[in-house]
Each structure stands twice: as structure tokens, then as C-alpha cells.
Amino acid sequence: MRPPRGCRRRGVVVGTVTLCLAAGWALQTPGGVSLTVPQPNINATVAQNILLSVEYSCRGVATVEWKHVSSWGTTKIVEWKSGNYVNISAVYKDRVTIFENGSIQLLNVGMRDAGYYFVTVTEEHGTNTYGAIIVNVYEIIYEDIHFVAVLFAFLAAVSAILICFMWLCNKSLHLFQKTTHKLSASTTEEIELETIEC
């Protein structure tokens, strides 16, 4: 029994695709490019300096490119080729430092610096690899600290007033007990005098 024509064609297509993938894998340039991103998620506060750390290796000379993608759009940060040139965009001119291992440092980050940072390392033979780092930037909210300080001062004042009130109550109680004790003592003396006179 012969398989239907459609199945035979699908088998030929799958076989051809598999063969092409295997040939591409076997003919890759030796070594290629490898990229490691040790910290793919970074949390920072406003005005802090952050290091977008990566480590790449390749046999030839590589070109490194960093881009920032956020809700405000995509911005190219920097592109450089080891030992040849460095091209830093005008927006990041005084805010970025590059390192030979492919890492960059952003100085004085703001809320607009939050988002995704993509690094592309391309070897001179055309092979490339990608990496991504997510950066979250948080504001220090001084209003919360102010609220806590005011609440603490208020509670301290209420505690001081309550302590003074308790002290006054205690003194009044002692004074009342002394007065009652004197009255009872004088009443007892009068009763004894009346008894003696009778």
C-alpha cells in the first residue's frame, strides 16, 4: 500500500528542513559568540549608579551594542568595537561608562531609565548573540517618612500627657486618702472624748 501523495511531500519537506538545520549547525564558525548575563533583574532607586553586567567571549573582534526599550520608546545607548571605535548616543553622553567585557554602567538613573536593556554581541564573521536585563527604578518617597515621623511625635506627646495624668491621679488619690485618714482620726477622737465625758 502506497502512502498518499500529501504525506510523502510533508515527509520530504520535514527531511529537507532537518537536513538544512543539521548542516547549518555543523558549518557554524568555530567558537561563535557566547554571552553570560549574571544579573538579569536589577532594582535601583533614583540617582543611583547601576552596573549592567555581562560577559562575552568570541574568537574574533566583536561589536557590542546596547539598547533601552521602555514605554517611552527604543533608544540606542552605545555601540563599540573593541579597540576600534565607541559611539555613545547624545542622550547618554555623560551618563554611561563602557567596559571591555561588554558591561556598561549608567550614572544617576531616573524613572525614565526603567525598562528593558538589550545587548547584542556580533562577531566579525556575522554570528551574534543577545542578552536582556530588566531594570526597575523606584523613587524614595519622603512623604511616607514624614508621615511616620509626625505620627511618632503625636504618639509620644499623647503618651507623655497620659503619664502626667496618671501621676496627677495618683497624687490626688494619696492626698484624698490622707485627708480621709485625718478625718477618720479626728472623728475617732471626738467619739472617744464624748465617751469619756459621759
Side-chain angles (χ1 to χ4, degrees):
M1 193 169 166
R2 289 173 44 183
R5 277 187 152 185
C7 291
R8 191 181 301 164
R9 284 186 186 161
R10 269 190 234 137
V12 170
V13 170
V14 171
T16 305
V17 169
T18 306
L19 183 62
C20 288
L21 288 175
W25 179 72
L27 294 174
Q28 270 186 337
T29 55
V33 182
S34 67
L35 178 70
T36 306
V37 181
Q39 192 176 0
N41 197 350
I42 296 174
N43 294 319
T45 54
V46 172
Q48 186 179 359
N49 299 336
I50 59 171
L51 177 67
L52 303 176
S53 179
V54 296
E55 183 77 38
Y56 79 89
S57 64
C58 65
R59 293 188 180 225
V61 179
T63 303
V64 180
E65 180 185 44
W66 280 90
K67 287 183 181 177
H68 175 227
V69 178
S70 69
S71 57
W72 291 289
T74 302
T75 309
K76 184 175 179 179
I77 301 170
V78 64
E79 180 182 13
W80 77 90
K81 194 169 193 175
S82 184
N84 290 340
Y85 70 92
V86 175
N87 184 13
I88 300 174
S89 75
V91 178
Y92 291 92
K93 199 69 166 169
D94 299 324
R95 295 188 50 227
V96 69
T97 306
I98 64 168
F99 299 95
E100 282 298 316
N101 66 354
S103 303
I104 61 172
Q105 183 178 32
L106 287 178
L107 307 175
N108 197 23
V109 295
M111 293 302 292
R112 290 182 71 101
D113 291 316
Y116 297 90
Y117 288 82
F118 294 101
V119 58
T120 306
V121 180
T122 306
E123 194 179 20
E124 57 190 341
H125 301 295
T127 57
N128 55 20
T129 187
Y130 307 93
I133 297 176
I134 301 170
V135 174
N136 302 304
V137 180
Y138 301 101
E139 284 186 292
I140 301 173
I141 303 176
Y142 293 103
E143 290 84 18
D144 290 346
I145 296 171
H146 179 70
F147 173 75
V148 170
V150 168
L151 182 65
F152 180 74
F154 175 74
L155 291 176
V158 168
S159 299
I161 290 169
L162 287 175
I163 289 170
C164 290
F165 181 71
M166 288 175 58
W167 181 79
L168 284 173
C169 287
N170 191 23
K171 285 293 184 185
S172 299
L173 182 65
H174 280 300
L175 185 62
F176 178 73
Q177 284 177 345
K178 281 184 182 179
T179 306
T180 308
H181 186 359
K182 283 183 183 178
L183 284 175
S184 64
S186 64
T187 307
T188 307
E189 283 180 19
E190 286 178 13
I191 292 174
E192 286 176 1
L193 286 175
E194 286 178 9
T195 307
I196 292 172
E197 287 176 2
C198 292

